[in-house]
Amino acid sequence: MPTNPAKDILLGVAVGDAIGVPVEFLDRSKMQANPLTGLKGYGTYNLPPGTWSDDTSLTLCLAEALTEQTLDPELVGKYFTRWLYRSYWTANGEVFDVGITTREAIQRISRGTPATLAGGLDERENGNGSLMRILPLVLYIKNLPIEERFTITRDISSITHGHIRAVIGCFYYLEFARRLLFGEDKFAIYTDLQQVIPPFLATLGILPSEIDTYKRILKEDITQASTESMLGHGYVVYATEVAIWSLLTTTSYKDAILQAINLGNDTDTNAAITGGLAALLYGHDTIPLDWLNALARKSDIENLAWLLHKRYA
């Protein structure tokens, strides 16, 4: 197990997010013509290097809630509301990026909807907004039975994204992360999850058509997928595929992040999702030093990671 997985998770997500922010929304053709190779600033939002977005903000909100004695979805929802309306856990005191589904869910919470019922349930509300901030939850569920892991993952995803497709993406991602926590080989994890996850989901009565939306990672060898076939848009299925493909086809944190980013489009989120896994695999100390040193509120993130580590070590 990593010596400080909480620090790996929070720094891995935040740095990936920050590296991707300046080129968010650029399409693949522009990224291929001028691939990102390292730290950059300004760009899409005209913000300094190291500035992270909603991906990290909501990850840190969840992480803070997890430092309490028990996990309370209502507290998570409260922190999300504080972020959206009072700029809590922002990089620079400003909320400059928020997904439509996430915003609408938080608005529901602010009007009194219970947190676990706030997330969108429509098939069109299957963006990557819960996947991008779910990773700290692995520390809470790592030693629980698989049925409990799924239920808790569903509840925390459903604060913003309640459709079963988004829940499956979060569940797969956390199952992969959990195996990384226990020091397993990334290829062995990938192969084993193909044997474990589909039959487990079937026992829950989840429609085969929903499980099959993840067939590229649950039935195929995604390491053989071409770059052209990997889509960097904000759909939860694509985001899960990008993270796993980027992790399996590279050999370092830096390369995994850049590979995800250079697909274009939702660059910050894809890099955040990939970065959390990559830092768990390789360690936060393998993140390029100039990337870490530029990170906004680095000491605050490290302090939160220490509290989280003490809670779950």
Side-chain angles (χ1 to χ4, degrees):
M1 184 175 290
T3 56
N4 191 335
K7 196 169 183 180
D8 295 334
I9 288 167
L10 298 191
L11 290 178
V13 169
V15 172
D17 181 10
I19 298 299
V21 160
V23 293
E24 188 180 8
F25 305 131
L26 294 185
D27 64 30
R28 179 170 304 183
S29 63
K30 291 181 180 178
M31 296 305 299
Q32 288 179 336
N34 186 26
L36 190 69
T37 58
L39 181 67
K40 180 179 178 179
Y42 306 98
T44 301
Y45 297 100
N46 195 33
L47 294 167
T51 304
W52 31 268
S53 72
D54 56 330
D55 310 70
T56 299
S57 292
L58 294 176
T59 298
L60 298 175
C61 286
L62 174 58
E64 183 173 353
L66 286 166
T67 63
E68 299 295 329
Q69 286 301 113
T70 58
L71 174 60
D72 181 2
E74 292 300 322
L75 179 60
V76 179
K78 178 181 177 181
Y79 285 149
F80 287 1
T81 304
R82 191 180 299 177
W83 162 74
L84 183 62
Y85 295 115
R86 294 164 54 189
S87 298
Y88 189 64
W89 271 122
T90 54
N92 55 6
E94 175 188 9
V95 175
F96 62 88
D97 189 16
V98 55
I100 294 171
T101 301
T102 295
R103 182 196 293 116
E104 290 177 347
I106 294 173
Q107 288 171 341
R108 292 185 196 106
I109 293 170
S110 71
R111 294 193 293 263
T113 299
T116 56
L117 301 177
L121 295 170
D122 193 276
E123 186 177 8
R124 294 168 295 181
E125 296 176 297
N126 273 312
N128 53 24
S130 60
L131 181 65
M132 72 186 191
R133 45 87 175 166
I134 202 78
L135 190 54
L137 187 62
V138 73
L139 299 173
Y140 182 85
I141 65 174
K142 65 181 186 292
N143 294 320
L144 298 177
I146 190 170
E147 295 82 6
E148 290 184 47
R149 299 199 299 268
F150 179 85
T151 299
I152 294 168
T153 300
R154 181 191 62 202
D155 287 347
I156 299 303
S157 173
S158 295
I159 295 172
T160 57
H161 293 69
H163 194 278
I164 191 59
R165 200 172 305 165
V167 173
I168 292 172
C170 290
F171 176 67
Y172 178 92
Y173 180 71
L174 291 180
E175 288 297 289
F176 203 109
R178 177 176 174 271
R179 301 291 189 94
L180 291 175
L181 271 179
F182 292 125
E184 296 183 34
D185 173 78
K186 62 182 181 180
F187 298 108
I189 295 170
Y190 183 73
T191 301
D192 194 55
L193 289 182
Q194 290 188 329
Q195 306 304 313
V196 171
I197 288 185
F200 170 72
L201 294 177
T203 67
L204 301 177
I206 295 171
L207 292 174
S209 59
E210 285 296 338
I211 300 172
D212 205 44
T213 59
Y214 288 92
K215 65 181 179 181
R216 292 188 82 190
I217 54 175
L218 292 178
K219 295 182 179 180
E220 301 173 8
D221 182 359
I222 203 165
T223 66
Q224 301 302 308
S226 66
T227 301
E228 291 71 29
S229 72
M230 301 306 300
L231 301 176
H233 305 290
Y235 179 40
V236 65
V237 177
Y238 295 161
T240 308
E241 292 173 354
V242 165
I244 300 304
W245 175 76
S246 297
L247 189 75
L248 294 181
T249 58
T250 58
T251 57
S252 70
Y253 178 92
K254 179 179 180 179
D255 289 347
I257 293 303
L258 294 177
Q259 181 150 297
I261 289 172
N262 285 319
L263 295 172
N265 296 296
D266 201 3
T267 53
D268 59 332
T269 301
N270 286 330
I273 295 166
T274 302
L277 293 183
L280 275 177
L281 177 59
Y282 301 112
H284 63 269
D285 55 343
T286 68
I287 299 173
L289 194 57
D290 61 323
W291 296 9
L292 276 172
N293 289 340
L295 188 66
R297 299 186 64 180
K298 177 173 175 281
S299 61
D300 291 334
I301 294 173
E302 290 178 331
N303 288 339
L304 178 57
W306 175 242
L307 293 175
L308 200 59
H309 177 65
K310 287 198 298 182
R311 176 72 179 84
Y312 295 102

